């Protein structure tokens, strides 16, 4: 018995050491490549309330905002302009404790303008039961291609509820990069085979918190429990860089070629060898689903997929995994204007 205990203790210690080492590596990488040359703006300089006005709380200096979800409504904000490519970024702190069924989204979209042919780039943070970690996913849609979802799902190397961390989306004519704390976690490089599936129309930036009890946690098994409400997500150091487009005319008065060049030459647009290493390490340790390796869903990987043998070996059974089975169109409508029933969901804290 003591022998088994020692072996178990050694195994736990070894796993903990490996996790700490990788976390330290990623942290050091962040320090090495941090400090993108970006300028934050106040809320009123670039954003407007979207829904749930009473649950959107601005700081006295206007530099940060809280989004609340209670039993009556979620809340959200939207950029005042659409952008024809851009860099969209914010430091975000997520709700803590029991957050099953809660989704915090930070994303670009133009569905309000192009309902049937919309483009979208997503960060969606998925709450969990108490004691379990937040998970999140990124997704890419172009020209209404919601039947060809491009989800990837991940965990994090830190607790996103304890302090602020920066999340960023870069969208250019050539590529899309998702960043966490200045570490690139995903890159989609445009190619001809993607065709109209590559986002190409002006988009707004959105941030929302809403009730996604029907799919967000264990495929809807665990619901939002309003005994723990309000659920509070915080946003600060907001960044909007790109070619602003008139939301009515949807055409830039000055053209976007100069802004596109500026975006593509910015520090955050360059995936250096150091960043490439950080991205590879992140994806090896923290990515637990990728559509590129879902061979049941896509027997032939979509054209933008770059198959990495080391990654593929980890996802040989991915096609059998299930992630909610929810309707994309319903989810997109819900995260913008989710209105919560006055009936609280039952208290459900069973372990996953």
């Amino acid at each position: 018995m003591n022998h088994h205990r020692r072996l178990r203790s050694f195994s736990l210690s070894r796993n903990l050491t490996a996790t700490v080492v990788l976390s330290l590596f990623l942290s050091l990488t962040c320090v090495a490549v941090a400090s993108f040359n970006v300028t934050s703006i106040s809320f009123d300089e670039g954003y407007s309330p979207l829904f749930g006005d009473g649950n959107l709380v601005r700081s006295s200096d206007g530099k940060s905002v809280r989004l609340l979800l209670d039993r009556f409504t979620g809340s959200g904000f939207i950029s005042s302009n659409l952008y024809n490519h851009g860099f969209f970024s914010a430091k975000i702190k997520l709700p803590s404790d029991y957050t099953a069924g809660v989704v915090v989204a930070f994303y670009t979209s133009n569905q309000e303008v192009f309902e049937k042919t919309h483009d979208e780039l997503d960060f969606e943070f998925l709450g969990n039961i108490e004691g379990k970690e937040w998970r999140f996913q990124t997704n890419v849609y172009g020209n209404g291609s919601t039947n060809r979802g491009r989800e990837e799902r991940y965990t994090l190397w830190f607790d996103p509820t304890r302090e602020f961390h920066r999340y960023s989306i870069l969208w250019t004519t050539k590529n899309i990069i998702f960043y966490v704390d200045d570490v690139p976690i995903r890159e989609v490089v445009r190619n001809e085979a993607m065709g109209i599936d590559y986002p190409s129309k002006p988009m707004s930036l959105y941030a929302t918190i809403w009730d996604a009890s029907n799919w967000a946690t264990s495929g809807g098994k665990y619901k939002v429990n309003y005994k723990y409400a309000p659920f509070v997500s915080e946003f600060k150091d907001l960044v909007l860089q790109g070619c602003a487009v008139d939301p009515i005319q949807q055409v830039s008065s000055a053209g976007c070629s100069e802004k596109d060049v500026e975006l593509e030459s910015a520090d955050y647009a360059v995936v250096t060898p150091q960043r490439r290493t950080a991205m590879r390490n992140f994806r090896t340790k923290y990515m637990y689903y990728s559509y590129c390796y879902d061979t049941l869903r896509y027997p032939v990987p979509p054209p933008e997929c770059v198959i990495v043998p080391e990654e593929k070996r980890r996802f040989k059974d991915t096609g059998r995994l299930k992630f909610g089975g929810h309707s994309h169109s319903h989810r997109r409508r819900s995260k913008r204007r989710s209105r919560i029933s006055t009936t609280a969901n039952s208290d459900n804290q069973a372990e996953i």
Side-chain angles (χ1 to χ4, degrees):
M1 181 66 71
N2 289 336
H3 174 69
H4 288 305
R5 285 176 179 168
R6 284 196 298 272
L7 284 177
R8 183 170 181 271
S9 176
F10 173 75
S11 177
L12 289 172
S13 175
R14 182 174 61 182
N15 290 339
L16 178 60
T17 300
T19 300
V20 169
V21 168
L22 182 58
S23 298
L24 180 60
F25 174 82
L26 287 167
S27 298
L28 290 174
T29 302
C30 289
V31 171
V33 302
S35 302
F36 287 154
N37 184 24
V38 295
T39 302
S40 60
I41 60 176
S42 68
F43 183 87
D44 289 337
E45 285 180 286
Y47 309 89
S48 302
L50 178 63
F51 69 96
D53 289 3
N55 281 359
L56 187 154
V57 182
R58 281 170 273 197
S59 63
S60 57
D61 61 7
K63 294 182 178 180
S64 63
V65 61
R66 292 184 174 190
L67 296 181
L68 282 64
L69 167 66
D70 59 27
R71 67 180 66 240
F72 303 106
T73 183
S75 54
F77 62 84
I78 183 174
S79 61
S80 302
N81 291 309
L82 288 87
Y83 289 83
N84 192 23
H85 307 119
F87 182 74
F88 312 93
S89 183
K91 288 185 177 178
I92 304 172
K93 185 162 68 170
L94 299 176
S96 59
D97 302 320
Y98 185 99
T99 55
V102 176
V103 168
V104 175
F106 183 76
Y107 63 105
T108 65
S109 179
N110 50 33
Q111 189 177 29
E112 304 291 341
V113 181
F114 305 100
E115 184 175 352
K116 295 182 179 180
T117 59
H118 86 283
D119 305 294
E120 188 166 326
L121 303 171
D122 288 332
F123 270 109
E124 288 181 308
F125 303 94
L126 312 176
N128 218 328
I129 62 175
E130 193 166 7
K132 297 291 185 178
E133 60 195 353
W134 277 82
R135 300 178 180 189
F136 75 104
Q137 66 182 23
T138 61
N139 212 335
V140 175
Y141 294 106
N143 201 47
S145 59
T146 55
N147 63 326
R148 294 185 296 280
R150 293 172 162 85
E151 309 99 307
E152 289 188 348
R153 287 197 175 192
Y154 328 84
T155 56
L156 288 161
W157 68 95
F158 53 80
D159 182 349
T161 72
R162 293 179 63 87
E163 55 189 17
F164 286 90
H165 290 269
R166 181 170 290 284
Y167 305 89
S168 308
I169 301 170
L170 172 69
W171 169 45
T172 76
T173 59
K174 299 177 180 178
N175 65 344
I176 296 160
I177 304 176
F178 293 88
Y179 280 98
V180 175
D181 278 350
D182 307 323
V183 173
I185 64 166
R186 177 181 183 181
E187 182 182 24
V188 177
V189 178
R190 186 176 193 172
N191 61 48
E192 291 185 5
M194 286 189 73
I196 59 176
D197 279 7
Y198 189 87
S200 59
K201 298 183 294 295
M203 291 190 278
S204 299
L205 183 282
Y206 294 81
T208 58
I209 185 170
W210 53 290
D211 184 329
S213 291
N214 63 322
W215 68 272
T217 307
S218 295
K221 182 178 180 180
Y222 301 99
K223 315 295 185 183
V224 173
N225 186 336
Y226 287 101
K227 181 179 79 173
Y228 298 93
F231 302 96
V232 182
S233 56
E234 301 179 65
F235 297 77
K236 69 176 185 178
D237 292 347
L238 303 165
V239 175
L240 286 174
Q241 293 191 344
C243 185
V245 174
D246 185 281
I248 298 177
Q249 296 181 358
Q250 301 164 31
V251 175
S252 172
S253 58
C256 290
S257 57
E258 290 186 8
K259 282 291 185 179
D260 284 344
V261 171
E262 183 180 320
L263 273 176
E264 292 167 12
S265 60
D267 176 55
Y268 46 69
V270 180
V271 182
T272 63
Q274 184 182 37
R275 289 177 182 158
R276 186 74 60 188
T277 298
M279 180 162 62
R280 183 171 61 249
N281 282 318
F282 171 86
R283 293 172 68 82
T284 297
K285 181 66 177 179
Y286 297 104
M287 183 172 72
Y288 68 92
Y289 175 80
S290 174
Y291 71 103
C292 288
Y293 304 119
D294 192 334
T295 55
L296 293 187
R297 185 179 180 189
Y298 297 114
V300 177
E304 74 280 0
C305 287
V306 176
I307 303 302
V308 180
E310 293 82 359
E311 288 184 358
K312 185 177 182 179
R313 281 195 290 270
R314 295 179 55 231
F315 293 104
K316 62 182 180 179
D317 296 324
T318 296
R320 294 182 174 86
L321 297 180
K322 297 180 181 179
F323 291 99
H326 52 277
S327 163
H328 286 295
S329 59
H330 174 74
R331 175 158 56 106
R332 301 302 160 200
R333 287 194 299 273
S334 297
K335 76 180 172 188
R336 286 166 176 72
R337 305 193 182 281
S338 175
R339 294 295 187 268
I340 309 307
S341 167
T342 56
T343 303
N345 290 299
S346 60
D347 184 7
N348 187 348
Q349 297 188 63
E351 289 292 323
I352 292 177

